[in-house]
Amino acid sequence: MSTLSGMASAAAAGGNPLVNLLQGAQRLGGIYHLDYDRAVVITDDFIKRAAGGVPRNGFLLAAATVPTKETNAPLDEDEVILLRVRGTAPLPNESELIATRLAAMRTADVRQERPGDVVDNLTSSQIEMSAFDCEVLGTFYGDTVARQPFIQWGGDIDNVYSGARYFVYVPSAEALSFIASYPDRTEEEIAEHRDPNLIKLGVVRFASTRRRAADAKMDQVPVNVRVTDFIARKTAVLGMTRVGKSNTNKTLCTAVFEHAARTGQKIGQLIFDPQGEYANVNDQDKTGLRLLGQGADLVRIYKMNPAERDSQEFPLAVNFYDTDELPMVWELVTNALDDQNTSYATAFKTAKVLSPDRSEFPTGTGGDREYWEAVEDSRRGQLAFYATLAKANFRAPQANFSLQFKMNKNVRAAIAADGRGPVRLVNERTGLCAVDSPSAAKSVVTWLAEQIAQVNLGNNPHNIDLSSWSDCDPFFKSILPVFEATVGSAVLNRIRTLNDYHDPVSRGDLADRVWIDLAEGRMVIVDLSIGSDAVTKMLSERLVFRLIEKANERFRNNEPPVPIQIVVEEAHNLFDRAKAGKSTVQDDPWVKLAKEAAKYEMGLIYATQEVTSVDKRILSNTSNWIVAHLNSDNETKELSHYYDFAVFAAGLRKIEDRGYARMKTFSGKYIVPLQISKFDHAMINKARAAANLPPLPVPAAE
């Protein structure tokens, strides 16, 4: 607001910048009781009507002023106290007033008139007196920063005078915007001659009923917030389904995109999208985040079955047959079997199919021999694992699959004689062989399983030694029961559920591709609308872990951080409620992100309807809070542990209006009730303009 943010006229005149807070204010009454935490404001019905009503949780200003001279006379004590209305309070003569009111109502009822028509003017003015119980939020007072007048804030009051010194005011629309958006500029910004990048997140809204606010022209007072408050910090967007969480997240993501474009920064944004509403243009918004990058390489969408001719869409799935990605694939498979506790399932999960680390073996010749024996055993395990994937009907790649292992010539000859394989000889001297397709791996393992079964029955039709295979435990031998499904098919069936996440043409680790995108400042939307909850949770956790690892590597190498924003929609589906408060920082990616990622400039925005599903260590590290309707006192009780959200608990449970929220930001000094702006196509085009991209027409309805 011009009169409060610049204050040039006040400075030129040597005036007090605080008087601008009272410019256009409506006098409400006075204070008859004041302490450090509470004020009781006395007023009457006529003044309340003239002021446009006094809603619960509304802001009021108290100052030692001269009536009718608030803006042209110095303020006594040079301070303005900010109050929040909590409820009503009894007057000292409340019992007498009640008796008078009852008498007036009784007489009016008998005469069939209004109560005000049956009493004299003096009595009428007395019975219309009332009081509000208000919370003392803090003090605005004059200060000087970089030789400029500055309205400073203190979160308390440093002295208590007789309440009779103070008059109380309903702020004007301009002053209310300043209060709700405070600080419009910080001391650092003034000292460094910087203007903040502000966005209008919504308008001030104190009550669900907005009739009097609209009549008083107070229903469109803007609330401006700093975009930088939401970068590299933790933000909670809380509320029930359909109260505007996604709308808020889209607004924030668009604002960060625009901020990055205006400042020339590369700020990557990673959005986990459980319903596909971020990845697509939807009917509700008539627009979508993907349009921010249309015509430019700025937005990438990872999804199952991406459109072949859509330059923005990329495969989310992993090639399970990519041997370079075996550690990731093995992790996905074993995590999917986490709740399988049979003996053969446990043996499968503990099989050592990954290549061993040489450092784990003794030095010298003996250690070398042990290491290479372990390598050969792991390759046998890998053969059984890829054969199991083939049996689980994972589609085979057209090329680029080859797996090497050692097999003696007698076994090779027997396989060839039975027409199995094919097994390709790589090195005859060492016995190194290979299979070049998953079907070949399946055929070889099927043959080996049949022959081992015959040997176990006392038969050996080929008279060959299979001990290097049958005794290979916990490698080949641990996987064979799952491959054969001789003791049950539960594990094999569970592995089949991962088929949605397999793409035979995909190459490379998803985390590596996403990291490159984020480092380039792109917005990355991961569409998780297809697939089981368990697997989407697993993929998201692994991706976050890998991003933290890469950020930590840059940190250790003294390289500049890569600013990243991670947005988690429907976070209760990804956060582990059972682990909340129990997991270690190292085994919970979200807790790790909350505790350690600030130094990497990695931020987190999480949206959920279940506050109790969020680990307290995440909540305790959350800087920004945007809270809409919650229908459970369990959730509001948990929320009440943070800042003074306990004040709003009842209203949060009662009022279900979409977009009606209570907000506390990193820069903000107190909670502000507001109506969140609706995400729309104009926001998209405004952000595109900042990125020097042409505007797009509103997408046509499909």
Side-chain angles (χ1 to χ4, degrees):
M1 55 190 262
S2 59
T3 58
L4 290 170
S5 58
M7 296 180 294
S9 60
N16 186 343
L18 288 177
V19 298
N20 290 316
L21 277 174
L22 302 176
Q23 185 78 43
Q26 177 76 39
R27 195 177 332 109
L28 182 67
I31 292 178
Y32 82 79
H33 171 80
L34 176 68
D35 61 33
Y36 291 103
D37 301 308
R38 178 173 176 260
V40 179
V41 176
I42 189 169
T43 183
D44 65 38
D45 293 347
F46 176 80
I47 296 176
K48 284 186 286 185
R49 284 193 296 270
V54 183
R56 185 196 295 267
N57 298 319
F59 291 134
L60 300 177
L61 299 173
T65 57
V66 178
T68 73
K69 298 182 180 180
E70 289 89 353
T71 59
N72 60 11
L75 295 175
D76 191 7
E77 294 299 324
D78 285 340
E79 65 183 21
V80 175
I81 299 173
L82 180 63
L83 307 176
R84 178 191 284 135
V85 179
R86 297 283 296 275
T88 60
L91 291 166
N93 59 338
E94 189 72 20
S95 59
E96 298 173 15
L97 292 174
I98 291 174
T100 305
R101 289 168 186 151
L102 287 173
M105 291 175 63
R106 189 179 302 113
T107 302
D109 183 44
V110 171
R111 296 183 182 179
Q112 297 185 15
E113 296 181 278
R114 294 177 184 271
D117 296 335
V118 300
V119 297
D120 59 78
N121 290 338
L122 178 60
T123 303
S124 177
S125 65
Q126 288 179 334
I127 64 175
E128 288 186 358
M129 296 294 290
S130 60
F132 291 107
D133 182 23
C134 298
E135 177 186 3
V136 174
L137 294 182
T139 307
F140 291 113
Y141 59 96
D143 197 0
T144 301
V145 175
R147 299 182 180 181
Q148 296 184 48
F150 180 71
I151 297 180
Q152 187 63 268
W153 167 259
D156 54 18
I157 55 178
D158 58 1
N159 198 8
V160 175
Y161 290 110
S162 165
R165 293 171 60 92
Y166 297 97
F167 285 96
V168 176
Y169 300 87
V170 175
S172 66
E174 190 175 32
L176 181 58
S177 179
F178 174 82
I179 294 166
S181 308
Y182 185 87
D184 60 346
R185 292 182 74 193
T186 65
E187 296 174 73
E188 293 77 12
E189 289 163 348
I190 292 175
E192 298 171 8
H193 305 288
R194 289 188 291 113
D195 289 323
N197 190 352
L198 303 175
I199 61 165
K200 177 187 170 185
L201 191 60
V203 296
V204 177
R205 182 178 184 180
F206 293 121
S208 176
T209 303
R210 309 183 74 185
R211 180 175 67 85
R212 287 184 174 83
D215 290 345
K217 302 295 189 292
M218 297 290 283
D219 60 330
Q220 296 298 319
V221 175
V223 179
N224 300 312
V225 297
R226 279 174 170 68
V227 180
T228 51
D229 278 358
F230 298 90
I231 297 174
R233 295 188 177 92
K234 316 305 175 290
T235 299
V237 181
L238 308 174
M240 295 297 296
T241 302
R242 311 307 298 171
V243 295
K245 298 190 300 296
S246 298
N247 179 86
T248 301
N249 285 346
K250 293 171 189 173
T251 300
L252 293 175
C253 291
T254 304
V256 171
F257 179 97
E258 181 180 343
H259 171 78
R262 290 191 186 283
T263 60
Q265 293 179 272
K266 290 183 177 180
I267 303 176
Q269 296 190 75
L270 172 61
I271 303 171
F272 290 106
D273 181 11
Q275 305 298 332
E277 64 174 305
Y278 290 79
N280 302 290
V281 174
N282 58 65
D283 290 337
Q284 177 181 327
D285 300 322
K286 309 301 182 187
T287 189
L289 293 182
R290 69 181 297 146
L291 299 180
L292 289 170
Q294 185 170 314
D297 189 22
L298 297 175
V299 178
R300 291 191 172 182
I301 300 165
Y302 288 85
K303 62 189 301 185
M304 297 298 175
N305 307 316
E308 292 184 6
R309 297 185 179 180
D310 192 324
S311 61
Q312 287 185 287
E313 295 187 359
F314 297 84
L316 173 61
V318 177
N319 183 356
F320 276 54
Y321 292 117
D322 186 346
T323 54
D324 290 336
E325 300 306 320
L326 177 59
M328 178 185 64
V329 172
W330 182 249
E331 181 182 358
L332 289 173
V333 171
T334 54
N335 284 345
L337 300 173
D338 191 54
D339 62 344
Q340 300 283 319
N341 298 316
T342 60
S343 58
Y344 76 96
T346 301
F348 180 92
K349 290 185 288 185
T350 56
K352 296 181 179 179
V353 301
L354 303 181
S355 299
D357 186 344
R358 177 63 184 86
S359 64
E360 296 177 357
F361 295 84
T363 57
T365 304
D368 286 340
R369 183 175 63 256
E370 290 181 32
Y371 167 70
W372 286 109
E373 288 175 354
V375 168
E376 295 311 318
D377 284 342
S378 69
R379 288 177 175 174
R380 293 187 179 97
Q382 291 168 21
L383 177 67
F385 174 63
Y386 286 118
T388 302
L389 293 181
K391 188 168 184 178
N393 300 320
F394 281 69
R395 290 176 297 152
Q398 295 297 316
N400 300 319
F401 177 86
S402 182
L403 185 67
Q404 295 185 351
F405 51 89
K406 283 188 177 181
M407 178 178 282
N408 69 52
K409 62 181 181 180
N410 293 331
V411 176
R412 295 199 307 272
I415 289 176
D418 285 349
R420 301 295 183 90
V423 175
R424 176 169 58 87
L425 182 63
V426 176
N427 189 316
E428 184 173 7
R429 182 181 63 82
T430 62
L432 187 64
C433 305
V435 290
D436 296 320
S437 70
S439 61
K442 176 184 175 183
S443 178
V444 169
V445 173
T446 300
W447 184 88
L448 287 169
E450 293 170 353
Q451 300 307 310
I452 291 172
Q454 288 292 322
V455 171
N456 290 338
L457 293 173
N459 302 318
N460 192 347
H462 291 286
N463 194 27
I464 52 178
D465 181 10
L466 293 172
S467 60
S468 61
W469 295 90
S470 61
D471 297 339
C472 185
D473 188 34
F475 304 91
F476 182 86
K477 186 177 179 181
S478 296
I479 296 178
L480 202 58
V482 172
F483 174 81
E484 295 181 288
T486 54
V487 289
S489 58
V491 173
L492 191 64
N493 288 337
R494 180 62 63 83
I495 293 173
R496 286 191 175 104
T497 65
L498 298 176
N499 243 310
D500 286 339
Y501 293 90
H502 167 62
D503 185 345
V505 301
S506 178
R507 299 296 299 174
D509 188 347
L510 173 66
D512 291 335
R513 286 178 278 158
V514 169
W515 172 261
I516 293 172
D517 290 337
L518 296 175
E520 289 298 318
R522 298 187 180 103
M523 177 181 287
V524 175
I525 303 173
V526 179
D527 186 344
L528 300 175
S529 58
I530 298 178
S532 69
D533 290 343
V535 176
T536 56
K537 181 173 178 294
M538 185 194 321
L539 277 176
S540 62
E541 288 190 356
R542 185 181 182 279
L543 186 53
V544 172
F545 266 135
R546 290 294 300 276
L547 295 179
I548 294 175
E549 288 172 6
K550 290 178 177 295
N552 178 261
E553 183 180 352
R554 290 183 66 88
F555 184 79
R556 294 196 311 270
N557 294 335
N558 201 30
E559 297 178 288
V562 174
I564 294 173
Q565 293 293 104
I566 297 177
V567 181
V568 184
E569 180 67 42
E570 300 296 338
H572 48 272
N573 292 330
L574 297 182
F575 292 3
D576 194 334
R577 185 178 201 162
K579 285 167 45 178
K582 301 174 185 176
S583 59
T584 66
V585 172
Q586 299 307 313
D587 65 14
D588 190 317
W590 312 109
V591 174
K592 192 177 181 69
L593 190 63
K595 297 281 287 184
E596 299 181 359
K599 60 188 175 187
Y600 309 141
E601 294 191 19
M602 297 178 71
L604 171 65
I605 299 176
Y606 58 93
T608 180
Q609 56 190 270
E610 299 176 7
V611 189
T612 52
S613 71
V614 183
D615 193 291
K616 288 181 172 59
R617 290 166 292 186
I618 299 175
L619 293 170
S620 296
N621 283 277
T622 296
S623 300
N624 305 292
W625 302 75
I626 301 174
V627 187
H629 168 61
L630 295 166
N631 68 355
S632 165
D633 64 349
N634 286 332
E635 305 304 327
T636 55
K637 283 178 182 177
E638 182 63 35
L639 178 67
S640 296
H641 294 310
Y642 302 92
Y643 295 102
D644 54 343
F645 278 106
V647 172
F648 299 88
L652 288 169
R653 291 194 301 271
K654 180 180 179 181
I655 300 171
E656 303 180 38
D657 298 10
R658 183 178 296 183
Y660 181 21
R662 290 76 172 167
M663 177 187 70
K664 169 67 176 69
T665 65
F666 175 76
S667 296
K669 308 303 182 183
Y670 31 78
I671 296 172
V672 176
L674 78 163
Q675 177 69 34
I676 302 292
S677 298
K678 189 179 185 307
F679 173 71
D680 60 19
H681 195 65
M683 295 181 184
I684 294 292
N685 276 336
K686 184 170 177 284
R688 285 179 60 87
N692 295 319
L693 296 174
L696 295 174
V698 177
E702 295 184 0

